[in-house]
């Protein structure tokens, strides 16, 4: 069941992933977290577009808006969760660059 709190485009992506892959319960939880992280990053991006990336603090010094860190952290989390889910399709080995040593089992 698609989490009801997700926005329509994210729900559609969730459904797409669920229809293309056989996920176990822990994968479904990771997928849900990935969707939430994606939406958090997008919300921060919308705020940054409206307000800008910098504000002037009480000492008249420019500071990065908190949404900069929110977008960054949520984007990193999304990428890590998608990587953890291993949603990429298989490609022939000769078309892929060599795997990092840390990614080999």
């Amino acid at each position: 069941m698609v989490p009801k709190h997700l926005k329509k485009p994210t729900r559609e992506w969730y459904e797409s992933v669920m229809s293309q892959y056989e996920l176990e319960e822990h994968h479904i939880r990771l997928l849900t977290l990935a969707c939430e992280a994606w939406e958090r990053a997008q919300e921060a991006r919308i705020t940054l577009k409206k307000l800008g990336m910098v504000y002037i603090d009480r000492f008249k010094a420019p500071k990065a808006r908190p949404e900069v860190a929110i977008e960054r952290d949520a984007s990193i989390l999304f990428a890590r969760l998608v990587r953890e889910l291993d949603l990429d399709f298989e490609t022939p080995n000769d078309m892929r660059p060599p795997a990092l040593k840390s990614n080999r089992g």
Side-chain angles (χ1 to χ4, degrees), residues 45-64:
R45 180 172 292 186
I46 289 166
T47 300
L48 289 170
K49 188 174 181 179
K50 288 180 191 173
L51 302 177
M53 295 185 60
V54 178
Y55 70 97
I56 304 300
D57 70 8
R58 64 186 175 143
F59 301 109
K60 308 288 186 222
K63 298 285 183 186

Side-chain angles (χ1 to χ4, degrees), residues 32-101:
T32 301
L33 287 173
C35 290
E36 292 166 346
W38 174 262
E39 288 192 349
R40 192 170 303 114
Q42 298 310 304
E43 289 170 11
R45 180 172 292 186
I46 289 166
T47 300
L48 289 170
K49 188 174 181 179
K50 288 180 191 173
L51 302 177
M53 295 185 60
V54 178
Y55 70 97
I56 304 300
D57 70 8
R58 64 186 175 143
F59 301 109
K60 308 288 186 222
K63 298 285 183 186
R65 296 197 61 78
E67 293 84 0
V68 171
I70 293 169
E71 182 186 17
R72 178 197 62 227
D73 295 347
S75 296
I76 290 169
L77 178 59
F78 173 79
R80 287 179 179 169
L81 289 165
V82 170
R83 182 182 64 207
E84 185 69 25
L85 286 167
D86 197 23
L87 299 179
D88 292 332
F89 59 90
E90 292 294 321
T91 59
N93 286 336
D94 60 350
M95 294 180 66
R96 299 180 78 185
L100 298 173
K101 290 182 180 182

